[in-house]
Amino acid sequence: MFEKIVGHETITHHLEKEIVGDEMSHAYLFSGMDGIGKKKTAKEFAKALLCSDNEEKPCGHCPACIQIDHENHPDVKVIGAKTGETSIKISQVREMISDLSVKPYSGNWRIVIIDEAERMTPEAQNSLLKSLEEPLSYNIFILITSHPQSILPTIRSRCQSYHFQPLNSRKIKEILHRDTEFDSQLIDNAVLSSGGSPGMAYYLLEN
């Protein structure tokens, strides 16, 4: 179910069990260093929940999967700090909550992915907390952060938490050889300086 996710097998195994058993939490906290695969896992989780293929979920090619990849699915919203802003404002959270009061358009779930959730202002976090305390049955929140200590304890306590560990060199190389066309020596050099983060390795290759 999570074939596109390299590493993090323990986490993806738990998420798959939740999907198969229809025992999803209403809120998740994905924590770990930047570039580790948290957002990709969140998107694959959303795709698995909304995919229309009856045999393989997520299939990656149905309309729902394609829309989620392009961040334009009507039932999946990805929010973060706006361009030029350093924080996620309370106005963004209030707008999101207003949207979530409407039932899903095309599936059984409405999913919100909050990227760099630690950027939420205290007011924004408190506004979100109200929705976590009394969640609607069809809403799922996924908070992504590299600084979980910056998230209110009252929010963390209401989330199913998964901590993403750094990947070993072999797995990072697997990702880079699969997704890029850089030669092996450049990849080896980037991996050595990546600190276990595929995203950092890719950044080093690009720059």
Side-chain angles (χ1 to χ4, degrees):
M1 187 175 288
F2 288 91
E3 287 79 6
K4 288 189 176 181
I5 304 300
V6 177
H8 313 306
E9 290 86 359
T10 299
I11 293 173
T12 55
H13 176 68
H14 279 292
L15 293 175
E16 183 172 348
K17 283 181 63 178
E18 291 181 24
I19 294 170
V20 172
D22 195 24
E23 298 176 340
M24 285 75 67
S25 173
H26 68 276
Y28 294 85
L29 181 66
F30 288 1
S31 64
M33 65 192 301
D34 289 337
I36 200 75
K38 304 183 298 294
K39 186 174 181 180
K40 186 174 182 64
T41 302
K43 284 187 172 184
E44 289 299 302
F45 185 38
K47 286 159 65 176
L49 289 170
L50 297 175
C51 178
S52 60
D53 193 290
N54 292 322
E55 300 296 328
E56 179 186 6
K57 294 180 181 291
C59 67
H61 51 73
C62 71
C65 287
I66 293 171
Q67 287 177 315
I68 291 170
D69 278 335
H70 290 87
E71 298 189 3
N72 59 12
H73 191 289
D75 293 325
V76 180
K77 188 173 183 64
V78 180
I79 71 169
K82 292 183 177 179
T83 303
E85 300 281 352
T86 59
S87 61
I88 299 172
K89 310 292 188 184
I90 188 173
S91 58
Q92 292 175 262
V93 173
R94 284 176 173 168
E95 180 183 353
M96 170 198 75
I97 291 170
S98 177
D99 291 341
L100 291 176
S101 64
V102 180
K103 289 187 176 182
Y105 289 102
S106 59
N108 296 323
W109 306 99
R110 290 186 68 101
I111 301 163
V112 172
I113 299 171
I114 304 179
D115 197 14
E116 296 185 308
E118 73 276 3
R119 290 178 177 264
M120 285 188 290
T121 64
E123 295 80 11
Q125 292 197 45
N126 280 311
S127 181
L128 173 64
L129 180 60
K130 295 176 183 178
S131 292
L132 297 182
E133 289 174 335
E134 299 177 0
L136 296 173
S137 61
Y138 49 79
N139 288 338
I140 293 178
F141 297 87
I142 306 174
L143 281 64
I144 298 172
T145 181
S146 55
H147 300 284
Q149 69 277 6
S150 298
I151 306 296
L152 289 174
T154 45
I155 289 180
R156 298 201 306 265
S157 68
R158 286 166 172 78
C159 294
Q160 176 73 41
S161 294
Y162 290 110
H163 183 70
F164 288 64
Q165 299 290 344
L167 298 184
N168 63 40
S169 297
R170 178 180 58 81
K171 290 180 178 178
I172 298 177
K173 288 178 184 178
E174 179 183 337
I175 293 170
L176 296 176
H177 281 295
R178 181 192 67 187
D179 296 342
T180 76
E181 296 181 355
F182 292 99
D183 66 49
S184 295
Q185 185 60 56
L186 285 173
I187 287 176
D188 288 346
N189 292 339
V191 170
L192 285 173
S193 303
S194 69
S197 166
M200 175 57 70
Y202 183 76
Y203 173 82
L204 293 170
L205 286 169
E206 288 285 293
N207 292 276

